[in-house]
Amino acid sequence: QVQLVESGGGLVQPGESLRLSCVGSGTIFSFPTMGWYRQAPGKQRELVAQITDGSPAYYVDSVKGRFTISRGSTKNTVYLQMNSLKPEDTADYYCNAGYKISDYWGRGTRVTVSS
């Protein structure tokens, strides 16, 4: 059994920052790939940022220069530093982890950017 638990979402004003965290627990202690997806109301889920061992981090164009993905010292943790938040960043953010042919998901944390 693998669990991913996100935290750090909330309500912020445009221009402010948030840091999302995701911690994995269970039978897998190290995930080669971890990332963050988001789903805004009425829209499809999209990959926001992803980090894979030995590869440059990926960012969707709309967050480049504002968001930074990083791993913890143990490879079952991933963070998303979100700066200069915009109303269009409002969404439910989901942690994702890949291990061999399996994909794991957290339950999501809501980010609302509004004045």
Side-chain angles (χ1 to χ4, degrees):
Q1 284 279 37
V2 173
Q3 274 194 319
L4 299 177
V5 179
E6 304 99 334
S7 61
L11 170 63
V12 296
Q13 294 190 346
E16 294 186 337
S17 298
L18 279 175
R19 188 185 192 222
L20 304 184
S21 299
C22 171
V23 180
S25 62
T27 54
I28 299 173
F29 303 103
S30 176
F31 297 98
T33 298
M34 296 190 80
W36 292 93
Y37 286 72
R38 68 184 178 188
Q39 188 166 18
K43 294 190 175 181
Q44 288 190 327
R45 189 175 294 192
E46 68 169 347
L47 175 61
V48 176
Q50 190 174 69
I51 189 165
T52 301
D53 290 347
S55 298
Y58 164 84
Y59 297 95
V60 68
D61 285 347
S62 58
V63 309
K64 285 180 181 177
R66 299 189 297 122
F67 290 11
T68 303
I69 189 170
S70 61
R71 301 284 294 263
S73 57
T74 56
K75 291 189 176 178
N76 64 342
T77 304
V78 66
Y79 305 99
L80 187 67
Q81 178 67 40
M82 305 187 294
N83 298 329
S84 303
L85 282 161
K86 303 176 180 180
E88 50 264 43
D89 295 317
T90 295
D92 291 324
Y93 284 72
Y94 297 90
C95 178
N96 171 266
Y99 181 79
K100 295 186 178 179
I101 63 170
S102 298
D103 238 2
Y104 302 95
W105 293 90
R107 291 190 172 186
T109 185
R110 180 156 292 177
V111 173
T112 304
V113 185
S114 175
S115 54

